Structure formats: C-alpha cells, structure tokens
Amino acid sequence: MHAFDVLGDPVRRRILELLAGGEMTAGGLCDVIRAEFGISQPAVSQHLKVLRDNGFTTVRPEGTRRLYAVDPAPLREVDDWLGHFRRFWTPPLQALATELARGKRERRLREQRADAPDDRRES
C-alpha cells in the first residue's frame, strides 16, 4: 500500500496524531477513536493493523497490553516527496513570518515610546 493510501484515511491520520504525543496502548487509542469516529473496536484494530503492516507504527507487548508508537521512517519518505512541492508554500510562509516580525517590532516601539518619560512636561 502506498503511503498516501495509508494516510488518506482520517482515522489512521488521527491515530498517528495521537501517537505523535508518545506511546499509547491499543485500548487507549481505541477509546479515543471510538469516541471521535463512532467506529467499533474491531474497526480500530484494523486501522492499527494497516498502520503497523505498512511501517507507520511499531507495537511492543507490555504484559497484557500492546503499546503503539510512531515509526518515523515512512513519514520521512512522505516529507521527501512533498519536498518537490514545498516551493509553492514556502515563500508565502516566509512573507508571513516577515510581516509578523514587523508587527512585533512596531508594537515594541510603540510600547517603548509610551513608557518613555515626556521631557516636554517638565519644562
């Protein structure tokens, strides 16, 4: 299965988002996904299997629990592919960063002027 086929499903994307915060048990993932998407435990297990079989997650047993974690390798491949298109959004993001910095500078200068003592009142 191609990476974008795996990531094309909103349930699997949400599972990866949850795992980006750290390891989670299969039961913990199942509880969140069932609440958010209204799907059954077996359906969540199928999504976990697709992620695991395609290398997006790792799983390790801990007693009776199974702990899932993100495996970043396939995500690097996706990022590499997206690199071909990054030029379409990078310049606008750089322009936004420049405008944000300009706005912060202007606010700081206004605040400094407001805090400065007014020498004209003393004469």
Side-chain angles (χ1 to χ4, degrees), residues 1-13 56:
M1 186 177 279
H2 189 274
F4 286 105
D5 294 327
V6 174
L7 297 174
D9 188 282
V11 172
R12 291 192 286 267
R13 286 194 309 270
F56 283 86

Side-chain angles (χ1 to χ4, degrees), residues 1-122:
M1 186 177 279
H2 189 274
F4 286 105
D5 294 327
V6 174
L7 297 174
D9 188 282
V11 172
R12 291 192 286 267
R13 286 194 309 270
R14 180 63 177 133
I15 290 170
L16 288 173
E17 288 170 0
L18 292 167
L19 292 175
E23 272 187 331
M24 287 185 71
T25 64
L29 287 165
C30 188
D31 290 344
V32 173
I33 297 300
R34 287 176 65 190
E36 292 182 7
F37 290 90
I39 62 176
S40 68
Q41 182 275 326
V44 175
S45 293
Q46 278 302 112
H47 285 291
L48 289 170
K49 181 179 182 339
V50 169
L51 289 168
R52 187 178 63 245
D53 289 351
N54 287 281
F56 283 86
T57 62
T58 59
V59 63
R60 68 179 178 86
E62 185 178 85
T64 59
R65 303 180 322 160
R66 296 169 61 88
L67 291 167
Y68 282 81
V70 171
D71 185 339
L75 296 173
R76 278 190 219 103
E77 293 172 16
V78 170
D79 186 55
D80 289 345
W81 186 85
L82 287 171
H84 300 289
F85 305 96
R86 204 161 268 118
R87 65 185 169 94
F88 294 112
W89 65 79
T90 300
L93 290 177
Q94 289 170 341
L96 175 62
T98 299
E99 287 303 314
L100 290 172
R102 183 175 291 137
K104 286 179 185 177
R105 181 178 179 270
E106 289 172 0
R107 275 192 306 278
R108 189 177 66 248
L109 290 173
R110 276 195 306 270
E111 290 170 1
Q112 287 172 351
R113 278 181 283 206
D115 291 342
D118 190 354
D119 293 334
R120 289 174 286 169
R121 283 187 285 189
E122 294 177 9

